[in-house]
Amino acid sequence: MATPAFEEIVEDFEFLEDWEDRYRHVIEQGKAMEPLDDAFKVPSTKVDGCASQVWLQPMIEDGTFHFDGDSDALIVRGLIAVLRSLYNGLPVAEVMKVDAGGELARLGLHDHLSAQRSNGLRSMIERIREVAQQNL
């Protein structure tokens, strides 16, 4: 049930054989994102459970889920970009149906992220799901 944007990342990962190249690709995804406006970097948008500073700003427009985000760590910013490709543009009800763990496993991320980064990634997914659940 992945979005076309996420499928594109999966295809890129299949092309990149070396994990270091994949890691750089995730970082480049994050660098390509627009930075989150400082006005949104507030306690209510901060994600707890992450080793670095992470902010997610969700938006629901016409029943469609979107979020922007930012982090002070390049790899985490890249992970936010990956999550945006997985969730942005979905109807709110579909957000809850996404098997984020299964989809991200296609990228092999958990094999190469530290325990702290993996926990942070889970915390971001939980926040996305909470917002979607509140808006059903």
Side-chain angles (χ1 to χ4, degrees):
M1 186 180 99
T3 65
F6 186 78
E7 288 300 333
E8 199 171 301
I9 291 174
V10 171
E11 288 175 18
D12 290 344
F13 266 56
E14 289 171 355
F15 177 74
L16 301 169
E17 296 176 20
D18 181 274
W19 174 249
E20 288 180 23
D21 291 336
R22 292 176 176 188
Y23 193 83
R24 276 192 289 278
H25 185 65
V26 170
I27 290 172
E28 290 303 317
Q29 294 287 313
K31 286 181 178 179
M33 279 190 330
E34 289 290 322
L36 186 65
D37 190 300
D38 285 343
F40 295 118
K41 293 180 181 178
V42 295
S44 63
T45 62
K46 192 164 191 257
V47 178
D48 295 324
C50 298
S52 53
Q53 303 272 349
V54 177
W55 300 270
L56 299 181
Q57 175 61 35
M59 300 157 280
I60 312 291
E61 295 176 5
D62 298 323
T64 303
F65 183 84
H66 293 277
F67 79 93
D68 291 324
D70 210 341
S71 176
D72 59 354
L74 288 176
I75 186 63
V76 177
R77 213 173 132 72
L79 293 172
I80 292 168
V82 170
L83 290 176
R84 288 181 75 214
S85 73
L86 185 60
Y87 288 105
N88 276 2
L90 291 178
V92 175
E94 295 298 310
V95 169
M96 299 304 294
K97 297 177 183 176
V98 172
D99 175 12
E103 294 296 340
L104 294 172
R106 296 169 60 198
L107 302 178
L109 290 175
H110 292 296
D111 297 337
H112 299 281
L113 294 177
S114 69
Q116 284 185 316
R117 293 280 186 243
S118 293
N119 287 338
L121 186 57
R122 274 192 297 281
S123 294
M124 288 188 278
I125 293 166
E126 286 172 17
R127 172 67 65 87
I128 290 166
R129 292 176 56 82
E130 286 170 11
V131 169
Q133 183 68 39
Q134 292 169 356
N135 286 279
L136 284 178

